[in-house]
Structures are given as C-alpha cells and as structure tokens.
Amino acid sequence: MRAGRRGQAGPDPNRVHRGDAENHRQIDFARFQEALQKVEECIECHLISVGYDYLLKFVTAGITEYQTIMEGLIDGEIGIDKYFSFVVMKSPFVKTHLPLKTIFQV
C-alpha cells in the first residue's frame, strides 16, 4: 500500500494512505477492508480504479501514532503489498458541503 500523512501538533485529518493490495482476489480485498473498518482512526476507504488499489484517510494525533497504526496493519498480514507516505503541508480549503443544486440542477 502507499500512504500519505501530515505532521503537526494535535489531531491531524490529513493522513491519506495510498496503496496496493498484495493479492487482487475478492476475498483478499474483503479481508483488507474488514481489518481497516476496525481501525477507528481510518475514517475513509476508497477502492481506486487506476494506479493503486486503495486511498485511505486517517485522523491521528501525530505521525508517530500513524506509523504505529501502519506497523500494526503490516504485522497483521492483512494483504498490504506496499505503501508510501506523503506529508500534506497545507490545505488551502476544504469544502464540507456537496454541490447539490449543481448535481440535481435545481
């Protein structure tokens, strides 16, 4: 799996994990997803179509906590082939609403 993360004091919602599963059978994807659902700090899980398998979002207190989670997942042998971490330096904006008028052309 590949991963992304951001280092700062306090809770950090910008640890995005990007990665590849070890095997690509449905049973392996299900095992991976089931294990991640049990990780409270993993707040989003997206199956991606091209380039890598998953995009995950973690909320942790810091990089050390994130790394501890990742090491636990790797040691748990849930099917992580590889992962990479990226640090988000700044989020110029984060929208918290959906563009419903545009989507439904109201």
Side-chain angles (χ1 to χ4, degrees), residues 2-85:
R2 303 173 196 170
R5 59 190 169 170
R6 172 182 160 187
Q8 69 180 38
D12 179 5
N14 292 310
R15 293 190 197 325
V16 179
H17 180 94
R18 194 184 99 178
D20 297 318
E22 194 171 39
N23 296 300
H24 291 91
R25 300 173 303 184
Q26 184 59 37
I27 192 167
D28 298 310
F29 283 138
R31 179 174 49 122
F32 177 79
Q33 292 168 21
E34 182 179 326
L36 282 168
Q37 278 188 309
K38 296 175 184 175
V39 177
E40 187 173 344
E41 295 88 350
C42 183
I43 62 169
E44 292 181 23
C45 176
H46 306 278
L47 186 59
I48 303 299
S49 62
V50 178
Y52 51 93
D53 297 322
Y54 285 95
L55 182 64
L56 309 171
K57 185 173 184 179
F58 290 85
V59 175
T60 63
I63 290 175
T64 302
E65 292 79 6
Y66 170 76
Q67 192 60 38
T68 299
I69 292 167
M70 291 310 303
E71 289 171 1
L73 291 171
I74 291 168
D75 290 345
E77 298 182 4
I78 64 168
I80 295 175
D81 180 34
K82 58 186 168 186
Y83 77 95
F84 298 91
S85 297

Side-chain angles (χ1 to χ4, degrees), residues 77-98:
E77 298 182 4
I78 64 168
I80 295 175
D81 180 34
K82 58 186 168 186
Y83 77 95
F84 298 91
S85 297
F86 302 94
V87 177
V88 175
M89 301 304 291
K90 181 179 180 180
S91 297
F93 67 88
V94 176
K95 294 183 178 181
T96 59
H97 67 280
L98 299 174

